[in-house]
Amino acid sequence: MKIHVLGGHGGLAKGFATTSFLIDNTLLVDAGGVAGTLSVDDQAKIENILITHCHLDHIKDLAFLCDNCFGMKPGPFHVYTHATVKGIIKAHLLNDIVWPDFTLLPSSDNPTIKLHEVVEKQPFLVGDYSVTGVKVNHAHDAMGYFIEKAGKTILFTGDTGPTENIWKLAHQIDNLVAIFTEVSFPNRLQNVANLSDHHTADSLKAELRKMPNVPVILTHLKPNYREEIMQEISRIGQAVQVLEDDGVVFNF
Ligand SMILES: [Zn+2]
Ligand SMILES: [Zn+2]
């Protein structure tokens, strides 16, 4: 699998895009940073989109994808997410107030975007991929996703504070090859991280003990604390990789 990190940060600023991982050019994990990082033609090549949770930095570009690619695709963007998140997207983003309801445009029979519900821990097929969602410790039924293709599985946790179930399942996946997870705040803001269900370097150090021994890539750093967080990560004494810049490609 080719993982193109279109956006891997927990904030939006010049040089920093919010979360979007593009797998093999057609499967997108989160829609926080896809509209401003891909050409419209490449946006239209996306077929399926997994959404981890409802926060704006993970869903906002659903709006722009629909607008940019309107009428360009033979079928809709298929979006998979928890029922709670589906309801939130319908009520608060594609609600005909903030943005047009592209689930009904140009028609309900032939929409620009179609929202599907994911049931936790029930594997489902998306194109060539087998996907399993597991809830994590973050707002409004947030889920991480195990994505398997050709005998390799990659785990994207999305945003999460300290959590348990996803690591239990991760230990049962023999072909797990990488974990993409998060660290968002510096240690001095541990109380903010606790309140918002995110990690600092300190809480991540404890979390790493729960994870299987595979490469861990850290994303979702807040741009304004990036240098401070990276220094703190370098001192935890664990072999983890912090995402350098948006736009990098991983091959697994
Ligand atoms: Zn986020
Ligand atoms: Zn979030």
XYZ file of all heavy atoms in Angstrom, residues 53 55 58 138 159 198, ligand 2:
59
model
N -13.741 10.647 12.648
C -14.628 11.331 13.601
C -15.050 12.679 13.047
O -14.632 13.074 11.957
C -13.984 11.435 14.980
C -12.813 12.363 15.066
N -11.617 12.128 14.435
C -12.656 13.534 15.737
C -10.773 13.107 14.714
N -11.379 13.980 15.490
N -14.736 15.910 13.957
C -14.119 17.228 14.119
C -13.739 17.841 12.765
O -13.401 17.135 11.814
C -12.892 17.136 15.028
C -13.257 17.024 16.476
N -12.466 16.412 17.412
C -14.369 17.448 17.140
C -13.063 16.472 18.596
N -14.217 17.097 18.453
N -11.023 16.952 10.291
C -11.088 15.625 9.654
C -12.211 15.515 8.619
O -12.259 14.547 7.874
C -11.246 14.527 10.721
C -10.109 14.520 11.687
N -9.106 13.578 11.669
C -9.784 15.394 12.676
C -8.212 13.859 12.619
N -8.611 14.951 13.238
N -12.110 9.359 21.983
C -12.185 10.704 21.418
C -13.664 11.001 21.159
O -14.509 10.119 21.272
C -11.343 10.775 20.131
C -10.989 12.172 19.716
N -10.131 12.977 20.448
C -11.364 12.916 18.646
C -10.004 14.147 19.835
N -10.752 14.132 18.743
N -7.627 10.653 15.934
C -7.374 11.339 17.208
C -7.803 10.431 18.352
O -8.872 9.823 18.310
C -8.204 12.627 17.293
C -7.810 13.662 16.257
O -6.958 13.358 15.407
O -8.374 14.776 16.318
N -6.545 13.888 23.749
C -5.382 13.837 22.868
C -4.174 13.371 23.680
O -4.251 13.252 24.914
C -5.092 15.227 22.282
C -6.030 15.638 21.191
N -6.096 14.998 19.974
C -6.937 16.660 21.130
C -6.995 15.599 19.207
N -7.531 16.600 19.882
Zn -10.573 15.350 16.985
